[in-house]
Amino acid sequence: ERLRSEPGYLGSLLRTRASATRMNVLLFVDQFEELYTLVPDADERRAFTAALGAIADDNAAPLRVVVSMRSDFLERVGEDPRFLDELSRGLVFLSAPDRAGLREALEQPLDLVGYRFETPAMLDDMLAALEGTPGALPLLQFAAAKLWDVRDRQRRMLARESYRAIGGVSGALAAHADEVVRNQSALEQVLTQKIFRQLVTPERTRAIVELSDLHALALDVPRVLDLLVRARLLVVQTRDGGGGTVELVHESLIERWPMLRRWLDVDHEDAAFLQDVVAAAKQWDAKGRGPGLVWSGKAMDEARRWYTARPRQRGAH
């Protein structure tokens, strides 16, 4: 309660600590986006950011604050203009690691504990699967964690046979996806299925979908969507003009995740038809919703037949 009414109190405590220990203090807040995903009360969020801002309001003080967050949440910080101003002056965007950086992230932790890859080909295969992927680090995490779980303790290595057994990078990702869905409620599983269907084209390739289009599927979709992003199954890319797009973290989910393949097999024809509907609706909306662009004749009759034959879809579209 004191922090709510007196945001500077935390800064005062930390200055006292810094003085007593004759040391500088760094306050690091990781996954800062969870302030917006897990705290529904806007007043509580503003109280939190006010307290953080008050810590770092004096460059001469032995205090520093660092926060890390997903770039697609930057606009949410705007609800506290003063904190946004402070944040903007020290903003640093971290780019994805290149191939050399990914290799180092795989090899160096093993070197530190006296382990190694059994063959260079294993490492090359992992890097090939990760290269050019917007979600490379999560994929690296899944595969490396699975390999470490089945490491050869006697020979102190990650074995080639173990890598084959987990199905490589894509197999590790599919196993993780199964676990994420298994831990969801029944409603979350239904919405997850709807979201993933939108993110795969009728030709079974990865689709890039507007964030706003997914939000329109159902009331609870934004919450489930955030769960899937935090689980590293989806990637959100923001644009300079606002808004954003969503895509699968890796193309291999379409081929190597049996649950997703079952979902897609259930209504392949629905997916193709809905793609046409979405494209037509966007064109109609972009051109001022003119009556001449509304489907009529055979196209309208086909849409009515589809809608009547599939009442289960009405709540989603």
Side-chain angles (χ1 to χ4, degrees):
E1 288 304 317
R2 183 169 181 180
L3 283 176
R4 288 179 184 273
S5 60
E6 191 183 336
Y9 177 56
L10 179 57
S12 176
L13 288 177
L14 292 178
R15 285 184 184 88
T16 300
R17 178 177 178 82
S19 176
T21 59
R22 297 183 180 181
M23 297 176 70
N24 295 334
V25 174
L26 171 67
L27 178 63
F28 176 52
V29 187
D30 195 15
Q31 295 181 295
F32 190 73
E33 66 274 3
E34 292 193 351
L35 178 65
Y36 305 98
T37 61
L38 301 180
V39 183
D41 186 346
D43 289 336
E44 186 172 355
R45 294 197 299 266
R46 281 190 289 268
F48 186 82
T49 52
L52 288 183
I55 296 171
D57 61 355
D58 182 1
N59 288 338
L63 307 180
R64 294 292 183 268
V65 177
V66 173
V67 301
S68 70
M69 66 186 299
R70 284 172 20 206
S71 61
D72 51 305
F73 275 83
L74 272 174
E75 62 184 38
R76 298 287 299 274
V77 182
E79 69 179 22
D80 184 342
R82 183 175 176 179
F83 185 72
L84 178 61
D85 181 59
E86 294 284 345
L87 192 68
S88 299
R89 281 187 274 155
L91 200 59
V92 176
F93 287 95
L94 299 179
S95 60
D98 57 14
R99 187 182 179 93
L102 291 173
R103 178 182 290 276
E104 183 179 353
L106 283 166
E107 287 184 315
Q108 194 174 67
L110 290 179
D111 290 340
L112 291 173
V113 292
Y115 274 71
R116 62 182 176 83
F117 284 93
E118 183 176 7
T119 67
M122 291 171 58
L123 189 56
D124 291 338
D125 186 76
M126 293 181 75
L127 292 172
L130 296 168
E131 203 164 20
T133 300
L137 285 177
L139 286 174
L140 180 149
Q141 175 189 343
F142 302 143
K146 289 289 184 184
L147 265 179
W148 182 252
D149 288 342
V150 294
R151 64 191 180 277
D152 188 329
R153 290 177 169 83
Q154 287 187 334
R155 295 189 294 165
R156 299 186 70 79
M157 68 170 54
L158 304 186
R160 179 175 48 192
E161 190 56 40
S162 298
Y163 183 62
R164 288 201 192 101
I166 68 170
V169 171
S170 56
L173 177 60
H176 170 71
D178 276 334
E179 184 178 358
V180 169
V181 175
R182 232 182 355 256
N183 291 327
Q184 290 180 328
S185 67
L187 174 61
E188 288 170 346
Q189 288 180 0
V190 169
L191 294 178
T192 294
Q193 185 173 342
K194 290 178 179 178
I195 290 169
F196 272 90
R197 281 173 172 170
Q198 296 292 313
L199 295 174
V200 181
T201 69
E203 295 75 31
R204 301 290 176 97
T205 60
R206 186 166 43 169
I208 299 176
V209 178
E210 295 288 330
L211 192 59
S212 57
D213 289 346
L214 291 179
H215 285 178
L217 287 175
L219 187 63
D220 283 338
V221 160
R223 179 180 62 81
V224 176
L225 191 60
D226 186 70
L227 290 174
L228 296 172
V229 172
R230 281 195 285 148
R232 311 297 180 87
L233 293 179
L234 306 181
V235 176
V236 174
Q237 305 280 3
T238 54
R239 293 191 300 263
D240 292 339
T245 60
V246 185
E247 60 184 301
L248 301 180
V249 71
H250 200 268
E251 191 93 25
S252 67
L253 278 172
I254 300 172
E255 289 296 324
R256 300 296 301 272
W257 186 21
M259 186 178 295
L260 178 56
R261 290 181 63 84
R262 288 196 299 271
W263 290 345
L264 297 174
D265 289 341
V266 165
D267 60 355
H268 176 71
E269 292 182 4
D270 283 3
F273 184 79
L274 282 172
Q275 186 179 51
D276 292 340
V277 172
V278 169
K282 284 187 175 181
Q283 183 184 35
W284 173 68
D285 189 54
K287 295 189 176 182
R289 302 194 173 193
L293 290 174
V294 176
W295 280 3
S296 60
K298 290 183 179 179
M300 181 181 65
D301 291 340
E302 182 183 357
R304 282 178 171 165
R305 282 194 298 271
W306 180 89
Y307 184 78
T308 302
R310 294 165 177 81
R312 67 183 184 279
Q313 294 286 346
R314 294 180 187 179
H317 306 285

